[in-house]
Amino acid sequence: MCKRSVFLHISILLAVLLVFTKVCAKTTSTGFYYPTGTDSPKLMNSYSFGAGPDNQPDRWACGVPIKAKTGAAVYAVASGEVVKVSPSGWGDGNVALIMKHIGSNGRGFVAVYGCVRNYVTGRVNLGQRIGVVGPNPGGSYLHLGIFESPDGSGALPFVRSQEDYKTRANPLPRSLTVDTVLSYNGWLSPIDFLQNRNPKIYGNTNRKPEVEVPSRPKPAEPESGVLLSSIPAGRGVTFRVDAGSGAIPNAYRFKVWQNGGREWVSEWISGSGSASWDTVLLEPGTYWWEAQARNEIGESLWLESRRRFYVNYPPGIPPLVAPTPGEALNSRKVMLIWSDPGDADDMPHYYRDYRVIVSGDWSYDSYWGYRATSMQITVPTDGNYNWKVAASDGLDQSGFSPERQFLVDTVPPVIAMSGPPTSRWSNIGEIAWNATDATSGVEHVTLQWEPGGQVNVPPAGSAPIPQGQRRVTIKAADRAGNISTEKSGPYWVDVTPPHVSMTIAPAQPNGIHGGYATSATLIVTADDGNGSGIAETRYILDGYERTYSGSVTITGAGLHTFSAKALDNAGNTFITPERNLIIEHPQGGESAPTPVPPPDFHTPKPETGHGESEPARVGF
């Protein structure tokens, strides 16, 4: 038992040492992480640091091309931050990450990681995966450049174009050796830099061994060149792939497109050995599809050869023409009209079969086989109805058109009217109406006076009757076009009170004390102009109201109050303001007796007396 325990501990120790050795193999002896994860980076033959590419003799290289497979992971040589992304000049779809790092001496430097894709941004740690190597026509590689500004601030190099991050125009500047590393105008030999300088270390940088990026997945379905002649409405094509050789993926992504048309890309779908994806509903035409795989290290390339397939799509949804949405009709014979929705390939038939469904207060289904684009139906009752149409090309069916409503109403509106009595004078002067329609609703109402013009009015309301003798006509129409007419009158309307005036004779007081000596005469005049005419004239003397039939003589000594009142045949009344006068009783004379009012007049005011008193002159 003891021997087994010792053996187990030794085995674990050896395994840890092996892992540690593999981890350390990815870092330089000075602590930098190799950008492609290998401790023996190999350079492409196309150019080396300081020596320009063969096809650009007038340039010198300020970085080096490190051989790497397409899709291989790229790692940060030290902790730092992505400060810029150079988007062009690095191969189709590739970029360069411009990253600021700090050395152990506190001096900042810039690293250029070119020809990468699927990259990260922001802050990164030493040895963190920051992207993958992208494809290049002349062979895939990682471009690595190191720049250190003279002041050690980590400022970006001055560039006139994206190409200046990779090469510079000749002549090659004079070389310097800075801390054992070759330098041209601040650009340092990258491999020498990594192997002779030290990065600033932040915490524990030990990493677990990395696995490889998965290889391309294997396409399973749909097969290349297949014709999908029927896709049920509302369902798409199912795409499926299997894992390729090499590292096992943990997710897959699919892409479907048409040349010059739309493109669909799925989210990453979890799966190891295989995965499938159901697309959106596809239109008719020719399509291509491909897929790629990924794991925690990176993403594979897309399928090596794109797969092509064909789709026969059902005809379009028939556009409904008439009745229009919510239209109200005043006939139970209804013509339904729609348009041919078309079919991109007219397969398998050039014509369409239709199915028409009506629902609501009555139901109808034509079933398939109807080929015209109009249909007359007769509904049995007034009410609300819905209709829809679907099309078929003989193989596939479209969905139904959005349901559309229409209304059948054959009953005209009802108009209720009220107003003053007809053919007799009135001072009410207003009519009221209320138009209702139980099915389609009132659309508009008009009112016309005779004589007079026509005006639009609300379904319910009131209006003053013009002065004089008038007739009125009200018409109401519902949404279906049914019309009701109501006439009323004649109305005799007079809303203007008559005019009443009073005069006193003599015109000026003739008494000694400023009043009238012995008597005064009250004269009342009433006039109704073009109105209904005067029905009665009255006068009120000292609180007593009497019918006026002629001039009235006032003889009692003392203060008298008087006014006049007129009524026309429409019931309008006008009362004048009260006025006063004084009768001066001649010496030795007697006051006129107090008159007794007739029974139909109001109760008299309390007597105030007619004895002599100091008169108060009142203007009138």
Side-chain angles (χ1 to χ4, degrees):
M1 188 72 175
C2 184
K3 290 182 178 180
R4 278 187 183 178
S5 178
V6 171
F7 178 76
L8 180 60
H9 281 80
I10 292 174
S11 299
I12 294 174
L13 180 59
L14 290 173
V16 170
L17 288 173
L18 179 60
V19 169
F20 182 75
T21 301
K22 291 188 70 177
V23 170
C24 292
K26 295 186 178 182
T27 62
T28 68
S29 60
T30 58
F32 281 109
Y33 206 89
Y34 281 108
T36 55
T38 176
D39 58 353
S40 55
K42 296 181 180 180
L43 304 185
M44 299 279 286
N45 294 328
S46 56
Y47 64 89
S48 59
F49 182 69
D54 295 337
N55 60 344
Q56 292 180 290
D58 58 339
R59 309 282 290 180
W60 62 272
C62 50
V64 293
I66 301 174
K67 285 185 178 180
K69 292 182 178 180
T70 299
V74 178
Y75 306 95
V77 300
S79 298
E81 182 178 7
V82 177
V83 294
K84 186 175 181 180
V85 177
S86 173
S88 61
W90 306 98
D92 188 22
N94 300 333
V95 302
L97 298 180
I98 317 300
M99 194 174 299
K100 181 178 178 180
H101 302 291
I102 299 178
S104 61
N105 56 6
R107 294 174 63 85
F109 66 92
V110 173
V112 179
Y113 304 81
C115 305
V116 301
R117 58 177 57 191
N118 302 335
Y119 54 89
V120 301
T121 58
R123 297 194 61 83
V124 299
N125 295 319
L126 182 147
Q128 179 179 332
R129 176 185 175 275
I130 59 174
V132 298
V133 175
N136 259 306
S140 58
Y141 65 93
L142 169 69
H143 171 89
L144 179 66
I146 302 292
F147 177 83
E148 185 178 62
S149 59
D151 60 1
S153 64
L156 296 181
F158 175 75
V159 294
R160 292 182 176 84
S161 66
Q162 305 296 348
E163 184 68 16
D164 284 349
Y165 280 118
K166 187 186 300 184
T167 62
R168 297 262 170 163
N170 272 327
L172 183 67
R174 183 179 178 183
S175 64
L176 295 175
T177 300
V178 181
D179 294 337
T180 71
V181 179
L182 187 64
S183 171
Y184 292 115
N185 282 4
W187 289 98
L188 305 179
S189 176
I191 303 303
D192 289 343
F193 179 87
L194 297 180
Q195 294 175 344
N196 290 280
R197 296 284 187 88
N198 302 93
K200 183 175 181 178
I201 304 299
Y202 298 86
N204 182 14
T205 60
N206 290 336
R207 296 173 54 87
K208 296 180 181 179
E210 302 282 3
V211 298
E212 294 297 322
V213 174
S215 59
R216 295 182 176 98
K218 297 178 180 178
E221 62 173 323
E223 296 179 359
S224 182
V226 68
L227 172 64
L228 303 177
S229 60
S230 175
I231 301 176
R235 175 179 171 270
V237 179
T238 297
F239 298 87
R240 186 171 62 85
V241 292
D242 297 326
S245 58
I248 297 176
N250 58 23
Y252 297 85
R253 181 168 61 176
F254 298 83
K255 180 167 68 175
V256 184
W257 73 96
Q258 283 182 300
N259 280 347
R262 295 184 60 186
E263 178 180 281
W264 296 264
V265 180
S266 75
E267 301 292 333
W268 285 102
I269 300 171
S270 298
S272 55
S274 64
S276 60
W277 175 53
D278 290 335
T279 67
V280 295
L281 191 65
L282 301 178
E283 299 177 354
T286 303
Y287 290 84
W288 285 263
W289 73 280
E290 59 184 359
Q292 66 176 158
R294 78 171 182 185
N295 58 14
E296 66 275 12
I297 300 304
E299 302 167 4
S300 75
L301 297 179
W302 293 94
L303 291 179
E304 193 163 3
S305 59
R306 298 164 177 174
R307 294 283 174 129
R308 181 173 60 182
F309 63 97
Y310 308 92
V311 174
N312 172 51
Y313 196 71
I317 295 175
L320 304 185
V321 177
T324 57
E327 184 177 355
L329 308 172
N330 59 9
S331 173
R332 293 182 182 175
K333 290 184 177 181
V334 179
M335 180 65 74
L336 305 178
I337 303 173
W338 60 93
S339 297
D340 181 355
D343 188 336
D345 56 8
D346 281 333
M347 293 294 291
H349 301 305
Y350 67 90
Y351 56 83
R352 250 69 64 199
D353 289 335
Y354 299 102
R355 182 181 179 184
V356 181
I357 292 181
V358 180
S359 60
D361 291 335
W362 174 71
S363 299
Y364 170 77
D365 190 338
S366 71
Y367 298 101
W368 293 107
Y370 192 83
R371 294 185 180 175
T373 55
S374 63
M375 174 186 293
Q376 181 173 288
I377 60 172
T378 301
V379 300
T381 61
D382 289 4
N384 290 285
Y385 298 92
N386 300 297
W387 68 295
K388 57 185 179 180
V389 181
S392 169
D393 62 5
L395 181 62
D396 299 312
Q397 301 168 3
S398 73
F400 277 95
S401 57
E403 201 167 59
R404 182 177 287 186
Q405 183 188 39
F406 65 90
L407 179 69
V408 174
D409 179 8
T410 59
V411 179
V414 176
I415 303 174
M417 292 181 61
S418 62
T422 60
S423 300
R424 53 182 291 188
W425 286 104
S426 172
N427 62 0
I428 295 177
E430 184 178 82
I431 62 165
W433 66 90
N434 186 17
T436 58
D437 189 273
T439 306
S440 62
V442 176
E443 180 74 11
H444 67 271
V445 179
T446 60
L447 180 149
Q448 182 172 17
W449 294 107
E450 300 172 9
Q454 177 177 289
V455 293
N456 293 321
V457 294
S462 61
I465 302 173
Q467 187 99 345
Q469 299 184 13
R470 308 276 181 164
R471 292 182 180 273
V472 66
T473 299
I474 293 182
K475 291 183 179 181
D478 59 23
R479 289 181 51 239
N482 303 298
I483 298 176
S484 290
T485 302
E486 287 291 333
K487 294 186 177 183
S488 185
Y491 294 112
W492 300 352
V493 174
D494 178 8
V495 296
T496 305
H499 176 72
V500 183
S501 63
M502 300 184 300
T503 59
I504 298 293
Q508 298 294 328
N510 55 6
I512 298 174
H513 302 290
Y516 290 88
T518 58
S519 66
T521 302
L522 171 65
I523 302 170
V524 179
T525 302
D527 178 37
D528 199 36
N530 294 325
S532 56
I534 300 296
E536 185 179 10
T537 304
R538 297 186 178 190
Y539 70 96
I540 300 96
L541 178 62
D542 295 333
Y544 297 96
E545 184 174 328
R546 298 174 178 83
T547 299
Y548 181 82
S549 57
S551 59
V552 177
T553 300
I554 304 172
T555 59
L559 177 66
H560 297 274
T561 301
F562 59 93
S563 62
K565 176 180 180 181
L567 296 84
D568 63 17
N569 289 309
N572 302 298
T573 303
F574 182 83
I575 302 175
T576 65
E578 286 187 341
R579 294 170 60 181
N580 299 322
L581 62 79
I582 294 175
I583 302 296
E584 298 177 4
H585 192 280
Q587 189 170 357
E590 294 182 355
S591 299
T594 302
V596 178
D600 61 326
F601 295 130
H602 62 75
T603 304
K605 294 181 180 178
E607 289 194 35
T608 58
H610 296 280
E612 290 196 10
S613 61
E614 183 66 21
R617 184 174 179 84
V618 179
F620 50 86

